[in-house]
Amino acid sequence: MGMYASAEVFYGYILDEEIMEQFVDENGDEIEEFDLAEKILKNRGVVDPWDSYPDTDGMDYATQNAVNKLWHAEHTEELDEWYKAKAEIDRRIKVEMSSFGHYDESRRCLIVKGTAHHASPSYPLPLDTDMWTDPHWIDELDSFLEIYGIEPPEDGPCWWLVASYG
Amino acid sequence: MGMSPEGIIYYGYYFSEEDEVDIPDVFSIARNRAEAKGAIPVDYSTEPKEWGPARAAWREEHDDEIQAYYGAIRAEETAIGVDWAVAGSYDFGNHYVYIPASRITAEWSEMQALTDLIAEPDWALKLDSHLSEMGIAKPQDGPRWYLTSLYG
């Protein structure tokens, strides 16, 4: 697959290294995959059913498969409730973590869903001239950060132009 | 020199592969106009060929005529009011004509904060006049703001 440069505009925060280092889990390990709905449920004391999934390291494939099937059968209702609760929260989350730059050296950003617009080299993208913002966007962005116990950047969010290669 | 991706916003028109266009050289056009109005080209025949103190001294000695000549060209470029550039890559890119003051860029290590994109009242006329003068058909109905990229 060919590589090319792309351009993107979005509304949100660009998160520097200092802020990214604050995203740690309950064990103090760096968080790499962000699932806000899951974080919210856990903050509410809801138990993640996957926490009880057995350790299958060292088992052969057939045994792993059997353990997996048995566990799913025993936890079907919990899993259904868990994913239903997550989907309900996801529907209401208006922001998401994203990144730009190059996969060897990317920058993280927290953006309002629906505000990201990409342009590839062959197809320039017409842009709305009015960089419109919803006054609630700041609250949505800051709430995400607060759930992880992180102070929002002082400068505040805005529309950004960035470039990526990949 | 290293290559890097660049995000670009501009106000203008873009040309696709299907639009077979002879891309004007705005610098050459401006230079020809400046000389037609009396700007005197700099005589570089006595300039030392190697970079170094002698060449620097020559440039300092001829600074007035250099500034006058290239200043006149820059004035003509400003009067023309548009420029051409390539998006994509320099080897396989598509050209666009744009208003220089409208162009906003961000390389991959930078980020550009954006405010409202507001076109000056005379920008559309400058673009259309230039295309008309060059005998180039407008590729779109009218100019507008575009987001594009360049790897170069």
Side-chain angles (χ1 to χ4, degrees):
Chain A
M1 188 170 67
M3 306 268 280
Y4 60 85
S6 64
E8 183 177 345
V9 294
F10 59 80
Y11 184 90
Y13 287 116
I14 293 184
L15 304 179
D16 61 23
E17 259 184 53
E18 203 177 310
I19 290 181
M20 288 311 299
E21 282 170 2
Q22 298 178 56
F23 282 100
V24 292
D25 62 19
E26 50 276 8
N27 299 321
D29 296 323
E30 187 184 323
I31 297 174
E32 293 187 10
E33 298 289 331
F34 291 87
D35 189 330
L36 185 59
E38 183 174 307
K39 175 78 174 165
I40 289 172
L41 285 175
K42 287 183 177 178
N43 282 0
R44 289 178 186 170
V46 178
V47 174
D48 181 350
W50 287 100
D51 287 349
S52 69
Y53 191 83
D55 183 1
T56 57
D57 279 352
M59 294 181 191
D60 59 59
Y61 176 75
T63 308
Q64 280 185 352
N65 208 25
V67 166
N68 183 52
K69 280 187 179 171
L70 179 61
W71 184 87
H72 271 90
E74 291 173 350
H75 294 83
T76 302
E77 200 176 314
E78 287 167 74
L79 285 167
D80 284 346
E81 283 174 15
W82 171 256
Y83 284 113
K84 189 176 163 187
K86 275 190 66 177
E88 179 54 38
I89 294 174
D90 268 329
R91 263 193 291 278
R92 289 185 271 123
I93 294 174
K94 303 287 192 293
V95 302
E96 60 188 350
M97 288 290 272
S98 186
S99 63
F100 62 92
H102 185 271
Y103 45 69
D104 285 339
E105 198 175 325
S106 62
R107 298 287 302 268
R108 298 305 291 263
C109 49
L110 180 63
I111 70 174
V112 174
K113 287 181 182 176
T115 65
H117 302 284
H118 299 261
S120 64
S122 304
Y123 302 101
L125 182 74
L127 280 179
D128 288 331
T129 59
D130 180 10
M131 311 301 282
W132 176 82
T133 61
D134 185 316
H136 295 113
W137 287 353
I138 296 179
D139 292 336
E140 298 283 350
L141 290 162
D142 290 355
S143 294
F144 178 103
L145 294 173
E146 280 160 14
I147 286 169
Y148 286 93
I150 296 172
E151 281 291 317
E154 281 180 11
D155 290 344
C158 69
W159 282 96
W160 293 97
L161 166 67
V162 299
S164 294
Y165 181 64
Chain B
M1 188 169 67
M3 308 263 281
S4 70
E6 191 176 40
I8 302 165
I9 290 175
Y10 67 87
Y11 182 85
Y13 292 101
Y14 75 90
F15 293 83
S16 62
E17 279 178 20
E18 290 75 34
D19 301 305
E20 294 177 357
V21 178
D22 280 329
I23 304 301
D25 180 344
V26 171
F27 177 84
S28 295
I29 296 168
R31 182 190 58 209
N32 293 341
R33 290 183 184 177
E35 289 179 8
K37 291 178 181 174
I40 301 171
V42 177
D43 180 2
Y44 287 102
S45 64
T46 59
E47 183 189 29
K49 296 289 181 274
E50 301 294 322
W51 282 106
R55 189 167 183 172
W58 186 95
R59 291 256 166 135
E60 196 173 322
E61 188 184 330
H62 294 80
D63 189 58
D64 284 348
E65 65 188 268
I66 291 172
Q67 295 300 330
Y69 180 62
Y70 291 102
I73 294 174
R74 279 195 296 274
E76 291 301 325
E77 285 181 319
T78 301
I80 291 169
V82 307
D83 205 355
W84 291 78
V86 67
S89 70
Y90 291 113
D91 294 329
F92 301 103
N94 294 323
H95 285 87
Y96 59 95
V97 62
Y98 68 101
I99 299 292
S102 73
R103 195 160 175 267
I104 305 166
T105 63
E107 291 189 10
W108 70 318
S109 58
E110 309 167 343
M111 300 76 62
Q112 265 309 325
L114 298 173
T115 55
D116 282 351
L117 303 175
I118 300 173
E120 296 290 326
D122 62 343
W123 283 1
L125 182 61
K126 280 186 180 177
L127 288 158
D128 291 352
S129 298
H130 173 73
L131 291 178
S132 174
E133 199 176 330
M134 295 296 111
I136 297 172
K138 292 193 296 187
Q140 291 91 43
D141 290 339
R144 61 183 303 179
W145 289 95
Y146 286 101
L147 174 68
T148 190
S149 63
L150 173 69
Y151 184 63

